[in-house]
PDB file of all heavy atoms in Angstrom:
ATOM      1  N   HIS A 115     -31.897 -50.553   6.624  1.00  0.00           N
ATOM      2  CA  HIS A 115     -31.799 -51.622   7.609  1.00  0.00           C
ATOM      3  C   HIS A 115     -31.654 -51.069   9.014  1.00  0.00           C
ATOM      4  O   HIS A 115     -32.119 -51.674   9.980  1.00  0.00           O
ATOM      5  CB  HIS A 115     -30.629 -52.543   7.268  1.00  0.00           C
ATOM      6  CG  HIS A 115     -30.755 -53.115   5.895  1.00  0.00           C
ATOM      7  ND1 HIS A 115     -31.613 -54.150   5.606  1.00  0.00           N
ATOM      8  CD2 HIS A 115     -30.174 -52.765   4.725  1.00  0.00           C
ATOM      9  CE1 HIS A 115     -31.541 -54.418   4.311  1.00  0.00           C
ATOM     10  NE2 HIS A 115     -30.674 -53.599   3.757  1.00  0.00           N
ATOM     11  N   THR A 116     -30.996 -49.924   9.140  1.00  0.00           N
ATOM     12  CA  THR A 116     -30.836 -49.258  10.435  1.00  0.00           C
ATOM     13  C   THR A 116     -31.112 -47.769  10.270  1.00  0.00           C
ATOM     14  O   THR A 116     -30.847 -47.195   9.203  1.00  0.00           O
ATOM     15  CB  THR A 116     -29.413 -49.453  11.005  1.00  0.00           C
ATOM     16  OG1 THR A 116     -28.462 -48.918  10.082  1.00  0.00           O
ATOM     17  CG2 THR A 116     -29.120 -50.930  11.261  1.00  0.00           C
ATOM     18  N   TRP A 117     -31.639 -47.170  11.326  1.00  0.00           N
ATOM     19  CA  TRP A 117     -31.984 -45.746  11.301  1.00  0.00           C
ATOM     20  C   TRP A 117     -31.668 -45.109  12.641  1.00  0.00           C
ATOM     21  O   TRP A 117     -31.779 -45.754  13.688  1.00  0.00           O
ATOM     22  CB  TRP A 117     -33.482 -45.558  11.042  1.00  0.00           C
ATOM     23  CG  TRP A 117     -33.934 -46.069   9.723  1.00  0.00           C
ATOM     24  CD1 TRP A 117     -34.508 -47.291   9.471  1.00  0.00           C
ATOM     25  CD2 TRP A 117     -33.847 -45.400   8.470  1.00  0.00           C
ATOM     26  NE1 TRP A 117     -34.774 -47.404   8.136  1.00  0.00           N
ATOM     27  CE2 TRP A 117     -34.392 -46.265   7.490  1.00  0.00           C
ATOM     28  CE3 TRP A 117     -33.363 -44.149   8.066  1.00  0.00           C
ATOM     29  CZ2 TRP A 117     -34.468 -45.922   6.149  1.00  0.00           C
ATOM     30  CZ3 TRP A 117     -33.443 -43.806   6.732  1.00  0.00           C
ATOM     31  CH2 TRP A 117     -33.988 -44.684   5.786  1.00  0.00           C
ATOM     32  N   ILE A 118     -31.338 -43.832  12.606  1.00  0.00           N
ATOM     33  CA  ILE A 118     -31.321 -42.994  13.802  1.00  0.00           C
ATOM     34  C   ILE A 118     -32.424 -41.970  13.579  1.00  0.00           C
ATOM     35  O   ILE A 118     -32.512 -41.363  12.506  1.00  0.00           O
ATOM     36  CB  ILE A 118     -29.954 -42.320  14.011  1.00  0.00           C
ATOM     37  CG1 ILE A 118     -28.904 -43.390  14.357  1.00  0.00           C
ATOM     38  CG2 ILE A 118     -30.045 -41.262  15.125  1.00  0.00           C
ATOM     39  CD1 ILE A 118     -27.490 -42.856  14.500  1.00  0.00           C
ATOM     40  N   ALA A 119     -33.282 -41.817  14.594  1.00  0.00           N
ATOM     41  CA  ALA A 119     -34.466 -40.982  14.414  1.00  0.00           C
ATOM     42  C   ALA A 119     -34.781 -40.157  15.647  1.00  0.00           C
ATOM     43  O   ALA A 119     -34.445 -40.535  16.767  1.00  0.00           O
ATOM     44  CB  ALA A 119     -35.673 -41.874  14.096  1.00  0.00           C
ATOM     45  N   LEU A 120     -35.449 -39.023  15.397  1.00  0.00           N
ATOM     46  CA  LEU A 120     -36.093 -38.281  16.471  1.00  0.00           C
ATOM     47  C   LEU A 120     -37.340 -39.074  16.824  1.00  0.00           C
ATOM     48  O   LEU A 120     -38.151 -39.390  15.946  1.00  0.00           O
ATOM     49  CB  LEU A 120     -36.487 -36.874  16.001  1.00  0.00           C
ATOM     50  CG  LEU A 120     -35.347 -35.940  15.619  1.00  0.00           C
ATOM     51  CD1 LEU A 120     -35.913 -34.647  15.045  1.00  0.00           C
ATOM     52  CD2 LEU A 120     -34.452 -35.648  16.803  1.00  0.00           C
ATOM     53  N   ASP A 121     -37.514 -39.390  18.085  1.00  0.00           N
ATOM     54  CA  ASP A 121     -38.590 -40.262  18.535  1.00  0.00           C
ATOM     55  C   ASP A 121     -39.620 -39.442  19.317  1.00  0.00           C
ATOM     56  O   ASP A 121     -39.369 -39.032  20.450  1.00  0.00           O
ATOM     57  CB  ASP A 121     -37.995 -41.374  19.401  1.00  0.00           C
ATOM     58  CG  ASP A 121     -38.969 -42.469  19.727  1.00  0.00           C
ATOM     59  OD1 ASP A 121     -40.184 -42.266  19.553  1.00  0.00           O
ATOM     60  OD2 ASP A 121     -38.500 -43.538  20.163  1.00  0.00           O
ATOM     61  N   TYR A 122     -40.767 -39.226  18.695  1.00  0.00           N
ATOM     62  CA  TYR A 122     -41.823 -38.410  19.292  1.00  0.00           C
ATOM     63  C   TYR A 122     -42.888 -39.240  19.999  1.00  0.00           C
ATOM     64  O   TYR A 122     -43.911 -38.701  20.423  1.00  0.00           O
ATOM     65  CB  TYR A 122     -42.503 -37.568  18.199  1.00  0.00           C
ATOM     66  CG  TYR A 122     -41.654 -36.431  17.694  1.00  0.00           C
ATOM     67  CD1 TYR A 122     -40.745 -36.624  16.657  1.00  0.00           C
ATOM     68  CD2 TYR A 122     -41.765 -35.160  18.238  1.00  0.00           C
ATOM     69  CE1 TYR A 122     -39.966 -35.583  16.183  1.00  0.00           C
ATOM     70  CE2 TYR A 122     -40.991 -34.109  17.773  1.00  0.00           C
ATOM     71  CZ  TYR A 122     -40.098 -34.326  16.745  1.00  0.00           C
ATOM     72  OH  TYR A 122     -39.333 -33.284  16.279  1.00  0.00           O
ATOM     73  N   ARG A 123     -42.684 -40.539  20.154  1.00  0.00           N
ATOM     74  CA  ARG A 123     -43.724 -41.399  20.729  1.00  0.00           C
ATOM     75  C   ARG A 123     -44.076 -41.029  22.161  1.00  0.00           C
ATOM     76  O   ARG A 123     -45.236 -41.149  22.560  1.00  0.00           O
ATOM     77  CB  ARG A 123     -43.310 -42.869  20.655  1.00  0.00           C
ATOM     78  CG  ARG A 123     -43.264 -43.404  19.220  1.00  0.00           C
ATOM     79  CD  ARG A 123     -42.795 -44.821  19.165  1.00  0.00           C
ATOM     80  NE  ARG A 123     -41.396 -44.907  19.585  1.00  0.00           N
ATOM     81  CZ  ARG A 123     -40.727 -46.036  19.714  1.00  0.00           C
ATOM     82  NH1 ARG A 123     -41.313 -47.185  19.483  1.00  0.00           N
ATOM     83  NH2 ARG A 123     -39.455 -46.029  20.090  1.00  0.00           N
ATOM     84  N   THR A 124     -43.124 -40.583  22.943  1.00  0.00           N
ATOM     85  CA  THR A 124     -43.385 -40.252  24.342  1.00  0.00           C
ATOM     86  C   THR A 124     -43.736 -38.779  24.538  1.00  0.00           C
ATOM     87  O   THR A 124     -44.634 -38.441  25.294  1.00  0.00           O
ATOM     88  CB  THR A 124     -42.161 -40.609  25.214  1.00  0.00           C
ATOM     89  OG1 THR A 124     -41.900 -42.001  25.058  1.00  0.00           O
ATOM     90  CG2 THR A 124     -42.408 -40.305  26.673  1.00  0.00           C
ATOM     91  N   CYS A 125     -43.044 -37.890  23.817  1.00  0.00           N
ATOM     92  CA  CYS A 125     -43.175 -36.452  24.073  1.00  0.00           C
ATOM     93  C   CYS A 125     -44.311 -35.786  23.302  1.00  0.00           C
ATOM     94  O   CYS A 125     -44.719 -34.682  23.644  1.00  0.00           O
ATOM     95  CB  CYS A 125     -41.863 -35.745  23.741  1.00  0.00           C
ATOM     96  SG  CYS A 125     -41.473 -35.732  21.970  1.00  0.00           S
ATOM     97  N   GLY A 126     -44.808 -36.407  22.248  1.00  0.00           N
ATOM     98  CA  GLY A 126     -45.843 -35.787  21.427  1.00  0.00           C
ATOM     99  C   GLY A 126     -45.244 -34.821  20.422  1.00  0.00           C
ATOM    100  O   GLY A 126     -44.046 -34.491  20.465  1.00  0.00           O
ATOM    101  N   ALA A 127     -46.065 -34.354  19.510  1.00  0.00           N
ATOM    102  CA  ALA A 127     -45.626 -33.556  18.364  1.00  0.00           C
ATOM    103  C   ALA A 127     -44.943 -32.241  18.738  1.00  0.00           C
ATOM    104  O   ALA A 127     -44.094 -31.754  18.001  1.00  0.00           O
ATOM    105  CB  ALA A 127     -46.811 -33.268  17.443  1.00  0.00           C
ATOM    106  N   ASP A 128     -45.320 -31.663  19.873  1.00  0.00           N
ATOM    107  CA  ASP A 128     -44.742 -30.375  20.262  1.00  0.00           C
ATOM    108  C   ASP A 128     -43.663 -30.506  21.324  1.00  0.00           C
ATOM    109  O   ASP A 128     -43.101 -29.511  21.771  1.00  0.00           O
ATOM    110  CB  ASP A 128     -45.842 -29.438  20.776  1.00  0.00           C
ATOM    111  CG  ASP A 128     -46.794 -29.031  19.671  1.00  0.00           C
ATOM    112  OD1 ASP A 128     -46.341 -28.850  18.524  1.00  0.00           O
ATOM    113  OD2 ASP A 128     -48.009 -28.916  19.948  1.00  0.00           O
ATOM    114  N   GLY A 129     -43.356 -31.726  21.729  1.00  0.00           N
ATOM    115  CA  GLY A 129     -42.373 -31.949  22.780  1.00  0.00           C
ATOM    116  C   GLY A 129     -40.958 -32.042  22.243  1.00  0.00           C
ATOM    117  O   GLY A 129     -40.705 -31.891  21.049  1.00  0.00           O
ATOM    118  N   GLU A 130     -40.046 -32.301  23.162  1.00  0.00           N
ATOM    119  CA  GLU A 130     -38.628 -32.468  22.812  1.00  0.00           C
ATOM    120  C   GLU A 130     -38.375 -33.963  22.611  1.00  0.00           C
ATOM    121  O   GLU A 130     -38.369 -34.725  23.571  1.00  0.00           O
ATOM    122  CB  GLU A 130     -37.746 -31.914  23.931  1.00  0.00           C
ATOM    123  CG  GLU A 130     -36.281 -31.892  23.609  1.00  0.00           C
ATOM    124  CD  GLU A 130     -35.897 -30.874  22.531  1.00  0.00           C
ATOM    125  OE1 GLU A 130     -36.591 -29.842  22.393  1.00  0.00           O
ATOM    126  OE2 GLU A 130     -34.895 -31.102  21.842  1.00  0.00           O
ATOM    127  N   PRO A 131     -38.167 -34.394  21.366  1.00  0.00           N
ATOM    128  CA  PRO A 131     -38.032 -35.831  21.112  1.00  0.00           C
ATOM    129  C   PRO A 131     -36.696 -36.394  21.574  1.00  0.00           C
ATOM    130  O   PRO A 131     -35.680 -35.700  21.595  1.00  0.00           O
ATOM    131  CB  PRO A 131     -38.136 -35.918  19.587  1.00  0.00           C
ATOM    132  CG  PRO A 131     -37.581 -34.605  19.118  1.00  0.00           C
ATOM    133  CD  PRO A 131     -38.035 -33.604  20.152  1.00  0.00           C
ATOM    134  N   SER A 132     -36.723 -37.663  21.943  1.00  0.00           N
ATOM    135  CA  SER A 132     -35.483 -38.379  22.218  1.00  0.00           C
ATOM    136  C   SER A 132     -34.885 -38.827  20.887  1.00  0.00           C
ATOM    137  O   SER A 132     -35.492 -38.659  19.828  1.00  0.00           O
ATOM    138  CB  SER A 132     -35.762 -39.579  23.129  1.00  0.00           C
ATOM    139  OG  SER A 132     -36.678 -40.459  22.508  1.00  0.00           O
ATOM    140  N   VAL A 133     -33.679 -39.384  20.942  1.00  0.00           N
ATOM    141  CA  VAL A 133     -33.022 -39.908  19.741  1.00  0.00           C
ATOM    142  C   VAL A 133     -32.840 -41.407  19.951  1.00  0.00           C
ATOM    143  O   VAL A 133     -32.327 -41.841  20.985  1.00  0.00           O
ATOM    144  CB  VAL A 133     -31.663 -39.214  19.489  1.00  0.00           C
ATOM    145  CG1 VAL A 133     -30.988 -39.779  18.247  1.00  0.00           C
ATOM    146  CG2 VAL A 133     -31.857 -37.702  19.352  1.00  0.00           C
ATOM    147  N   THR A 134     -33.293 -42.184  18.952  1.00  0.00           N
ATOM    148  CA  THR A 134     -33.320 -43.637  19.082  1.00  0.00           C
ATOM    149  C   THR A 134     -32.712 -44.297  17.842  1.00  0.00           C
ATOM    150  O   THR A 134     -32.873 -43.806  16.734  1.00  0.00           O
ATOM    151  CB  THR A 134     -34.778 -44.131  19.268  1.00  0.00           C
ATOM    152  OG1 THR A 134     -35.355 -43.458  20.385  1.00  0.00           O
ATOM    153  CG2 THR A 134     -34.852 -45.629  19.510  1.00  0.00           C
ATOM    154  N   TRP A 135     -32.018 -45.416  18.045  1.00  0.00           N
ATOM    155  CA  TRP A 135     -31.472 -46.266  16.980  1.00  0.00           C
ATOM    156  C   TRP A 135     -32.481 -47.377  16.719  1.00  0.00           C
ATOM    157  O   TRP A 135     -32.949 -48.025  17.659  1.00  0.00           O
ATOM    158  CB  TRP A 135     -30.146 -46.857  17.450  1.00  0.00           C
ATOM    159  CG  TRP A 135     -29.638 -48.059  16.727  1.00  0.00           C
ATOM    160  CD1 TRP A 135     -29.852 -49.367  17.067  1.00  0.00           C
ATOM    161  CD2 TRP A 135     -28.795 -48.092  15.573  1.00  0.00           C
ATOM    162  NE1 TRP A 135     -29.194 -50.198  16.191  1.00  0.00           N
ATOM    163  CE2 TRP A 135     -28.537 -49.444  15.263  1.00  0.00           C
ATOM    164  CE3 TRP A 135     -28.230 -47.100  14.762  1.00  0.00           C
ATOM    165  CZ2 TRP A 135     -27.743 -49.840  14.194  1.00  0.00           C
ATOM    166  CZ3 TRP A 135     -27.425 -47.497  13.704  1.00  0.00           C
ATOM    167  CH2 TRP A 135     -27.195 -48.835  13.425  1.00  0.00           C
ATOM    168  N   PHE A 136     -32.836 -47.587  15.467  1.00  0.00           N
ATOM    169  CA  PHE A 136     -33.755 -48.657  15.087  1.00  0.00           C
ATOM    170  C   PHE A 136     -33.049 -49.615  14.144  1.00  0.00           C
ATOM    171  O   PHE A 136     -32.414 -49.179  13.188  1.00  0.00           O
ATOM    172  CB  PHE A 136     -34.996 -48.080  14.380  1.00  0.00           C
ATOM    173  CG  PHE A 136     -35.855 -47.250  15.276  1.00  0.00           C
ATOM    174  CD1 PHE A 136     -35.636 -45.884  15.397  1.00  0.00           C
ATOM    175  CD2 PHE A 136     -36.870 -47.828  16.023  1.00  0.00           C
ATOM    176  CE1 PHE A 136     -36.421 -45.111  16.244  1.00  0.00           C
ATOM    177  CE2 PHE A 136     -37.650 -47.061  16.866  1.00  0.00           C
ATOM    178  CZ  PHE A 136     -37.428 -45.704  16.973  1.00  0.00           C
ATOM    179  N   ASP A 137     -33.175 -50.910  14.431  1.00  0.00           N
ATOM    180  CA  ASP A 137     -32.630 -51.938  13.559  1.00  0.00           C
ATOM    181  C   ASP A 137     -33.805 -52.738  13.009  1.00  0.00           C
ATOM    182  O   ASP A 137     -34.482 -53.449  13.759  1.00  0.00           O
ATOM    183  CB  ASP A 137     -31.671 -52.838  14.324  1.00  0.00           C
ATOM    184  CG  ASP A 137     -30.946 -53.803  13.409  1.00  0.00           C
ATOM    185  OD1 ASP A 137     -31.615 -54.462  12.578  1.00  0.00           O
ATOM    186  OD2 ASP A 137     -29.713 -53.899  13.520  1.00  0.00           O
ATOM    187  N   VAL A 138     -34.073 -52.589  11.720  1.00  0.00           N
ATOM    188  CA  VAL A 138     -35.215 -53.238  11.093  1.00  0.00           C
ATOM    189  C   VAL A 138     -35.021 -54.750  11.042  1.00  0.00           C
ATOM    190  O   VAL A 138     -35.953 -55.514  11.297  1.00  0.00           O
ATOM    191  CB  VAL A 138     -35.448 -52.667   9.671  1.00  0.00           C
ATOM    192  CG1 VAL A 138     -36.526 -53.429   8.942  1.00  0.00           C
ATOM    193  CG2 VAL A 138     -35.775 -51.180   9.754  1.00  0.00           C
ATOM    194  N   GLU A 139     -33.808 -55.185  10.745  1.00  0.00           N
ATOM    195  CA  GLU A 139     -33.536 -56.617  10.574  1.00  0.00           C
ATOM    196  C   GLU A 139     -33.809 -57.414  11.848  1.00  0.00           C
ATOM    197  O   GLU A 139     -34.433 -58.466  11.793  1.00  0.00           O
ATOM    198  CB  GLU A 139     -32.079 -56.833  10.142  1.00  0.00           C
ATOM    199  CG  GLU A 139     -31.725 -56.178   8.833  1.00  0.00           C
ATOM    200  CD  GLU A 139     -32.449 -56.772   7.637  1.00  0.00           C
ATOM    201  OE1 GLU A 139     -32.524 -58.009   7.554  1.00  0.00           O
ATOM    202  OE2 GLU A 139     -32.926 -56.004   6.797  1.00  0.00           O
TER     203      GLU A 139
END
Side-chain angles (χ1 to χ4, degrees):
H115 303 283
T116 59
W117 297 97
I118 292 176
L120 296 174
D121 190 344
Y122 287 87
R123 292 177 294 176
T124 301
C125 68
D128 292 324
E130 187 69 28
S132 60
V133 179
T134 305
W135 161 267
F136 293 90
D137 188 311
V138 174
E139 299 294 316

